[in-house]
Amino acid sequence: EDQVTQSPEALRLQEGESSSLNCSYTVSGLRGLFWYRQDPGKGPEFLFTLYSAGEEKEKERLKATLTKKESFLHITAPKPEDSATYLCAVQAVGGTASKLTFGTGTRLQVTL
Amino acid sequence: NAGVTQTPKFQVLKTGQSMTLQCAQDMNHEYMSWYRQDPGMGLRLIHYSVGAGITDQGEVPNGYNVSRSTTEDFPLRLLSAAPSQTSVYFCASSWTGHTNYGYTFGSGTRLTVV
């Protein structure tokens, strides 16, 4: 069974204090690993898709990396507007068409 | 371009009542799905559809029905509401099931069953 574990559950940073969020996964065959951002009362918003170990993608202050067992979301010099819950999900090769298995998320708070 | 629209945003039901959660998208996406989100648990797939007239069960389908008569709409029906169905429900869509660009999610329906 596919599994996704995210850590930490919650993270509080000061503005400008860089850090990383972790997503550990087990999947029969990885088709893709997805990162989403979710604001309170909103639906998840797509950030990145990663497909193979060693791949990296960047968007503004966020950089996602992938190994065979985990993915990291690096946040460089965060701002208060980066406060949100960050969700990681995996999609397996084959199986139920496009089912995503989600982790429970990391709740990030960035303070001034 | 509205994206994925879900209605209602909030709903309170009594145990045993039935209702339909509406989901509509205007992006001509073939793939649509319903997830529920509960505290301490990841989003879980309820039902999905890979095109008009085609639906299938996800991870937690019991107590829910779906149909897909048009590309745009994918309603979720609760047949006889139970307190265990108290949750936030999200509809999502994409061009295909195996998308490179993730899914577009609606803003959710918060359902309370009393």
Side-chain angles (χ1 to χ4, degrees):
Chain A
E1 185 177 324
D2 304 337
Q3 282 192 316
V4 175
T5 302
Q6 292 188 246
S7 61
E9 288 187 15
L11 181 63
R12 185 179 174 126
L13 300 174
Q14 287 196 320
E15 185 174 15
E17 180 186 3
S18 301
S19 188
S20 296
L21 313 183
N22 177 263
C23 171
S24 297
Y25 66 91
T26 56
V27 65
S28 51
L30 181 69
R31 184 190 174 275
L33 184 141
F34 299 80
W35 281 98
Y36 287 86
R37 169 192 171 126
Q38 186 174 23
D39 293 299
K42 301 280 185 66
E45 177 185 348
F46 172 73
L47 292 173
F48 305 108
T49 309
L50 302 167
Y51 296 102
S52 57
E55 189 175 1
E56 298 182 354
K57 288 195 176 172
E58 288 188 67
K59 180 179 180 180
E60 295 181 355
R61 294 175 293 281
L62 301 177
K63 183 169 81 172
T65 62
L66 182 65
T67 72
K68 289 187 177 180
K69 294 184 178 180
E70 56 192 351
S71 176
F72 292 94
L73 185 65
H74 306 278
I75 303 176
T76 302
K79 297 182 177 182
E81 54 261 42
D82 295 321
S83 297
T85 296
Y86 290 85
L87 303 174
C88 173
V90 296
Q91 186 176 57
V93 171
T96 302
S98 56
K99 173 194 170 186
L100 293 183
T101 299
F102 282 86
T104 53
T106 293
R107 191 170 62 254
L108 174 66
Q109 184 180 13
V110 182
T111 59
L112 292 170
Chain B
N1 188 343
V4 177
T5 302
Q6 290 186 238
T7 56
K9 291 190 183 301
F10 302 94
Q11 182 71 48
V12 178
L13 286 180
K14 293 183 179 179
T15 298
Q17 286 185 319
S18 63
M19 79 159 293
T20 299
L21 280 62
Q22 301 292 343
C23 175
Q25 53 91 9
D26 61 357
M27 298 171 285
N28 204 31
H29 285 170
E30 288 295 323
Y31 176 83
M32 296 184 75
S33 57
W34 279 100
Y35 284 83
R36 59 178 289 174
Q37 188 174 38
D38 301 293
M41 304 187 75
L43 286 146
R44 292 180 291 166
L45 180 65
I46 305 171
H47 285 286
Y48 66 97
S49 168
V50 298
I54 306 169
T55 63
D56 206 344
Q57 296 181 350
E59 183 183 356
V60 288
N62 292 341
Y64 309 94
N65 270 359
V66 292
S67 60
R68 183 96 179 270
S69 56
T70 67
T71 298
E72 294 77 21
D73 299 300
F74 190 44
L76 178 72
R77 296 183 188 85
L78 279 69
L79 309 173
S80 177
S84 61
Q85 294 179 304
T86 293
S87 187
V88 182
Y89 291 86
F90 290 100
C91 179
S93 73
S94 65
W95 288 109
T96 70
H98 294 118
T99 177
N100 294 333
Y101 302 105
Y103 299 159
T104 301
F105 281 84
S107 58
T109 295
R110 183 174 295 274
L111 175 68
T112 302
V113 182
V114 298

